[in-house]
Amino acid sequence: MAKYKIVHHEDKCIGCGGCVSVCPQNWAMQGNKAKPKKTEITQEEYDCNLQAMEICPTEAIEIKKIED
Ligand code: SF4
């Protein structure tokens, strides 16, 4: 089962809340920035986080495959 690592570039985050709106399962606001609840996710959790990555206007979210 594939595993992925979430990398959140906090310096790029403008706190728009887009990631939280499409993937509240793994994203929450903390002050004026978003923060992932988990930084290692499974295949089931991937789609939601992919949506978060795609909606992010500043490319602050990266998803890296860490295991096949
Ligand atoms: S979508 Fe991107 S810029 Fe907006 S809160 Fe999430 S990580 Fe930050």
Side-chain angles (χ1 to χ4, degrees), residues 11-57:
D11 54 324
K12 290 190 188 172
C13 179
I14 55 168
C16 70
C19 54
V20 180
S21 69
V22 297
C23 190
Q25 295 93 320
N26 199 40
W27 289 87
M29 295 306 291
Q30 195 171 79
N32 58 1
K33 305 252 180 187
K35 206 177 158 99
K37 296 175 185 174
K38 288 167 75 177
T39 54
E40 277 194 26
I41 56 162
T42 61
Q43 189 69 51
E44 289 90 60
E45 296 163 319
Y46 178 78
D47 284 356
C48 174
N49 284 280
L50 180 66
Q51 283 180 37
M53 184 183 89
E54 286 174 346
I55 206 169
C56 180

Side-chain angles (χ1 to χ4, degrees), residues 53-68:
M53 184 183 89
E54 286 174 346
I55 206 169
C56 180
T58 62
E59 298 182 355
I61 301 172
E62 261 186 88
I63 304 176
K64 295 179 177 173
K65 198 170 203 180
I66 50 173
E67 208 175 294
D68 271 322

